[in-house]
Amino acid sequence: MKNVTLKVEGMSCNHCVQSIEKALKEIGAAGKVDLAGKSVEVTFDENNLTEAAIKEAIEDQGYDVV
């Protein structure tokens, strides 16, 4: 398992947290959103998932991974 922390812009409320965590779960990753820190800590199996796929899943929800 691999852990990465991504900076994410555009998050402002609990709905944002739920949206991102759900999107990550759907692709097989676990995410913990830090609204105050504007970041998402993601745990995933690097044999089954890439960082690019994780970034795409977050961006598909309308947020910017920087």
Side-chain angles (χ1 to χ4, degrees):
M1 297 299 266
K2 184 175 180 179
N3 291 324
V4 294
T5 301
L6 303 172
K7 289 288 184 186
V8 180
E9 303 252 331
M11 303 182 299
S12 61
C13 64
N14 195 45
H15 177 267
C16 300
V17 172
Q18 292 174 348
S19 173
I20 290 173
E21 290 180 353
K22 181 180 178 199
L24 291 172
K25 186 176 182 181
E26 287 176 356
I27 63 168
K32 183 176 181 195
V33 176
D34 177 2
L35 273 179
K38 295 184 179 179
S39 66
V40 180
E41 185 177 328
V42 185
T43 303
F44 64 101
D45 183 345
E46 58 196 313
N47 295 318
N48 297 327
L49 203 55
T50 64
E51 282 188 50
I54 290 167
K55 290 176 183 178
E56 184 178 336
I58 293 170
E59 289 174 345
D60 284 349
Q61 297 303 308
Y63 307 99
D64 295 317
V65 179
V66 293

